[in-house]
Amino acid sequence: MGKRTDTKEKMVQAAKELIRQRGFNATAFADVLERSGTSRGSVYFHFPGGKTQLAVEAAEAHAFEQVEIIDRAAGEATSAVQLVERYVDLGRDGMIAGDYGRGCGIAPLITEGAAENSAEIAETGRRAFTQMTDRLAFHFVAFGVERSAARVLAEAVIASIEGAMITSRALRSPAPYESVRTVLVNHAAGVAPKSARRPRG
């Protein structure tokens, strides 16, 4: 992902947050301009590929942010179990702080049909989820989890968080996060070597 100007970065971040809150189809360029405080001429200059390009860059930004969060959580953890706990807790706390109005910046591109109409969007969705899963698996392996088990655990964490986002918003409750946390922690404890702990720093 190339370096963006401040104006373009503001538009991408605005689009990412709007897609997380409203979905893809309900996010229009006018909304992005209003939230980012940018001019209409910015659309044609920065996004000649239209809404498809904006959605792709917003999804990429969301994935990049999630990878940074995973890395930060891993840096604060000393085991695979702690990494799972911290990552799920961050998702739960973000949902509560956002008054149950936050979703995923990638999932709407898939569930609302955008990926079916654009091979570029479809590929971006696959790549974004793969990046997040790969990063979690990398850290699980570093904590001593066997590679294939680390991959399964990473996929389960991402899938569980995605589901918890939806049900937590619907119920306006953190309970789904607490439930997936319990199940994922139990599984992580079962596949992680009891003595493997990576020192902080």
Side-chain angles (χ1 to χ4, degrees):
M1 186 166 53
K3 185 176 180 181
R4 301 190 184 102
T5 64
D6 288 344
T7 297
K8 187 174 186 180
E9 181 64 26
K10 287 178 182 178
M11 295 177 71
V12 169
Q13 291 300 319
K16 175 172 66 69
E17 291 305 317
L18 286 166
I19 291 171
R20 293 186 72 176
Q21 293 167 6
R22 305 179 183 180
F24 172 73
N25 293 332
T27 296
F29 265 116
D31 303 315
V32 173
L33 294 174
E34 180 179 359
R35 177 163 296 199
S36 63
T38 52
S39 66
R40 180 162 294 278
S42 300
V43 173
Y44 308 103
F45 180 76
H46 293 295
F47 300 98
K51 191 175 180 181
T52 293
Q53 182 185 351
L54 180 63
V56 164
E57 296 203 27
E60 289 174 343
H62 181 81
F64 182 80
E65 177 184 273
Q66 289 302 308
V67 168
E68 286 191 321
I69 290 171
I70 290 166
D71 286 345
R72 186 163 63 249
E76 296 169 352
T78 59
S79 67
V81 170
Q82 280 193 2
L83 173 52
V84 170
E85 290 173 338
R86 290 176 186 275
Y87 189 54
V88 176
D89 288 351
L90 286 169
R92 177 202 62 203
D93 295 347
M95 181 63 75
I96 294 171
D99 193 28
Y100 300 97
R102 295 178 62 184
C104 177
I106 307 164
L109 307 185
I110 311 302
T111 60
E112 295 180 19
E116 295 178 6
N117 298 321
S118 168
E120 185 179 7
I121 288 179
E123 176 56 29
T124 298
R126 285 192 291 270
R127 185 170 60 249
F129 280 123
T130 298
Q131 288 171 345
M132 293 157 59
T133 304
D134 286 349
R135 202 63 183 167
L136 273 173
F138 167 82
H139 288 298
F140 289 144
V141 169
F143 284 127
V145 180
E146 190 273 327
R147 192 171 300 277
S148 62
R151 184 72 189 182
V152 170
L153 177 58
E155 289 176 344
V157 169
I158 296 301
S160 297
I161 290 291
E162 290 294 313
M165 280 185 195
I166 297 170
T167 51
S168 182
R169 288 183 73 174
L171 299 172
R172 294 189 63 80
S173 166
Y177 283 95
E178 300 295 345
S179 296
V180 300
R181 185 184 194 272
T182 298
V183 174
L184 291 169
V185 163
N186 287 339
H187 180 70
V191 298
K194 301 299 183 286
S195 60
R197 290 183 175 272
R198 184 172 67 186
R200 294 183 185 178

